[in-house]
Amino acid sequence: MKSRASITVSVTLTLVVNTLAAVSGASPAVAGTTSTDRTPRPYEVTSERSKAPFTVAPRRMVVPLTWSGTTVEPVSRAITYRNNTRSTLRIRLRIALRDRSGHAAPAALAKLSAGSVTVRAGREARTNLELRGHGVKPGAYHGTVQVTSAAGQPLGSTAVSVDLHGPAPAPAPPVGSVTASADSVNADLASPGIPDLTRRHTLTYRNTGTTAVRLRLSATLNGPDGEATKAPAGLFEVPDHVTVPAQGSAQVTLTFRGAGIPQGRYLGALVATGTDGATKVTTTLVAEVGQEQYNVAVNLIDRNGTAPTRPTWVYAWSISDGGRWERKVENGSGVFELPPGTYDVTTAIATGAGQTLINHRITVDDRDFDLRMDAREGEPVELSPQGIGVPGMVEAWYDTPWYRFTAEGPEGSVFAVWHGPDEVEENVGFQVTGWGKRDATDGPGAAYILSRYFAGRIPPATVWHPSPGELSVTRNHFRSVNLSRSGGLNVTGGYVDEMRMNVTFPQTVTTYIEPGLSYSRELGYGIGYGNWAQIADYRTAAQQGERDDVWNGAVLTTGDFGVGAEPRRTSGGQLSVIAPGGYVDSSGRTGSMDRTTNELTLAADGQTIATGTGQLHADLPPESKRYTLTWDRTANTEIAKFSTATKTEWSFESHHIDWEEQTLPLHLLRLAIAGLNDANAAAPGSQLRIPVKVQPVQDLPTPEITSMSVETSDDDGNTWQTASSAEEDGTWTATVSNPDAPGFVSLRIKATDADGNTVTQTFIRAYEVKS
């Protein structure tokens, strides 16, 4: 059937993936590169494609609208915004329409359902453009729905054309004894290209007089869309005359033909004038010539060979002009009304716990046809490492610039079908992500995230099981620092929302990541909300091979002064210090802990100048003085097992410098102790060599350390014993002899630089001694 239709339009492992670009730097079996003889592999990644960071769909829409003299429900059109970045975006929306003279359209014509929208990373959001024909002058209106970031940066737009049709003019009242059976005749046509499309209407004239009346029939039609130009001659036909007998009636046939007629709305009138000079009957004519449409009947079949039991969304994307249609198909059958062109028709059919992603490339030309989308034709989609025994999930996408269609489920339940040319040039692609996890409570845990992208097709081979040797394999040793001995591991990455894992400390979790990908990790532990700690390692580039990574390794030192929060003396003479948040482990990653207290004290000449909690500010005299700044940090006693209390004392000279802000040399120490086990414990009576590094304040050079003293305590700092330290090739190393009895070792280290500045840091319970 041919028809006219309107178009309606914890550990958090965060994998940061450009899901729409080929993996670079990976081994051939992993990234899908070609072999050495240049023979393409079945899973070859054919090309790279950079996805636009933000897309708007549709890019243009045409909305026919009919004027109404009374309030009616608005016509609504959806606009979709896709955020392909790794950050949540807050966008602002603005509609601007003008008439043909360039004047702003009345505000009543168009309204957005929201003026701003939050679009999550890798997700879509929608708004509705609502259009009303009530109270607005008929005519053509054009403009855009503009999209900007919260900061005003342009992100895209949708071009909008609104054709607000005016009402058909009311016919003049009849003169004489003859009336017509209808005041107006409306014809609904589709064109161009359908030569046999014809609409016929019968109009009856009745004569109440006592003598017959001969009527001359003449018609005029203008348009399209209210324009003064005459309509094409082939649009309308009517006989030249008709005779209506006395006390009787006569019929005439009005013929409308849409073939070759430009799209639009044509208005006019049929005037019947009596030869008696005393009869005149007017009938309004309206011809709606729409876009050529054909029915594409979609029939869905699941993997059991039956119609899907749940409603299923089916999308049609026009390769020809970017248009988009969607249908919610019930009971496996639905119909698209599509203009001629080439389309990708995509769906995901659910069967059990999984889904089958299906894409058909079709051409609509000059006839209706049926499209069967059969999930039984699907090839399995699998993506997991070999031999790790971790149950996984698979998510497969078919991507276009306008929408992303997804099929997901446990590995073994996801399938894919492609009907179309082997390679296409359009900006489309097939994306697969596989992920899985095993808790680390009763033994070592594991987690993996892998990804594949194929430009322009669904590949013929959709099963990949790389060996661990082809991946980036990291054994993450989560050391025991939590008094509750348990923690949480949340794994996210790419378009994987969340994988939650439980960890009992100490424990190891091995991650398997695709080489070339960038990923992040975050470990959470503690008691509950407001009594929690976490430590993270963001944006680590995955390199092929195996490695070990220690988390929360002793000594847990104080955090760095943040960028923009460096300790300063202003040109006005005010000292400003903000205590660094969190802590740093032996691998250099930063963590944070709830309910940690920070007390600061500034002194000079034996007198306290200022104190502060968390931060300290003091006005300093212009002359040069030696100052002592003390920072006492106490960790949450319900969480922390190590570095329960830290004391840092700086001694430095400072004086006023005109018109210059000074960064103060409040450097920090970093300690990484080799020889500890995963409980951060050393053997009783053992000896440890501890390299000591100085972490300079941001924007200051690393100071030259001229002397260093080291002390140890086995009674939480009540008494101290001297340990040895030595410098070799610019590196200072402390040598510590551990006690024979189990317990904790505290450290106190003082470093002096070439300018006479000192930093002394005390770490209570730096590590444990245990058999």
Side-chain angles (χ1 to χ4, degrees), residues 79-266:
I79 304 178
T80 302
Y81 312 99
R82 174 148 192 96
N83 176 10
N84 297 309
T85 71
R86 302 177 186 123
S87 303
T88 297
L89 291 178
R90 182 72 174 174
I91 62 173
R92 294 176 178 173
L93 310 171
R94 179 175 176 270
I95 176 72
L97 295 178
R98 294 186 178 274
D99 61 19
R100 288 178 174 172
S101 300
H103 300 112
L109 175 63
K111 179 183 177 182
L112 289 164
S113 59
S116 62
V117 179
T118 297
V119 191
R120 294 173 54 201
R123 292 293 183 266
E124 289 184 352
R126 284 189 178 184
T127 60
N128 288 325
L129 176 61
E130 298 177 349
L131 300 159
R132 292 173 172 85
H134 171 63
V136 179
K137 180 182 177 181
Y141 297 88
H142 304 279
T144 58
V145 176
Q146 299 165 343
V147 187
T148 62
S149 67
Q153 177 188 6
L155 297 176
S157 63
T158 297
V160 178
S161 295
V162 180
D163 294 324
L164 179 56
H165 304 314
V175 177
S177 61
V178 177
T179 59
S181 58
D183 290 336
S184 65
V185 174
N186 291 268
D188 190 5
L189 305 169
S191 178
I194 309 180
D196 61 345
L197 178 64
T198 301
R199 295 285 185 266
R200 293 181 173 86
H201 294 263
T202 299
L203 187 65
T204 301
Y205 291 100
R206 292 183 174 85
N207 181 7
T208 59
T210 56
T211 60
V213 178
R214 180 180 172 85
L215 300 175
R216 293 191 300 270
L217 304 177
S218 63
T220 57
L221 279 170
N222 291 334
D225 300 322
E227 296 177 4
T229 56
K230 294 188 66 173
L235 174 60
F236 180 73
E237 291 181 2
V238 67
D240 293 334
H241 64 275
V242 65
T243 299
V244 187
Q247 302 292 320
S249 63
Q251 293 182 336
V252 295
T253 299
L254 314 183
T255 303
F256 297 85
R257 291 189 174 92
I261 305 301
Q263 185 177 336
R265 191 173 196 242
Y266 297 83

Side-chain angles (χ1 to χ4, degrees), residues 11 77 104 114 176 195 222 391 543 553 581 611 721 749:
V11 165
R77 294 289 186 269
N222 291 334
Q543 309 252 341
T611 61
Q721 300 81 41
I749 301 175

Side-chain angles (χ1 to χ4, degrees), residues 558-574:
T558 52
D560 298 331
F561 290 101
V563 177
E566 299 87 350
R568 296 187 181 279
R569 177 174 179 160
T570 68
S571 60
Q574 186 180 65

Side-chain angles (χ1 to χ4, degrees), residues 10-11 439-442 478-490 500-507 509 522-528 531-535 552 583 593 638-641 678:
S10 75
V11 165
D439 284 342
T441 51
D442 298 323
F478 297 123
R479 288 193 175 179
S480 178
V481 294
N482 180 6
L483 291 175
S484 68
R485 293 180 53 81
S486 63
L489 174 60
N490 299 332
R500 301 185 65 87
M501 299 176 66
N502 296 317
V503 180
T504 301
F505 300 119
Q507 194 52 273
V509 174
E522 185 181 277
L523 175 68
Y525 60 95
I527 299 172
N531 221 359
W532 194 252
Q534 63 182 25
I535 186 167
N552 277 332
Y583 66 91
M593 185 178 295
E638 296 186 72
I639 299 177
K641 182 179 181 180
D678 276 355

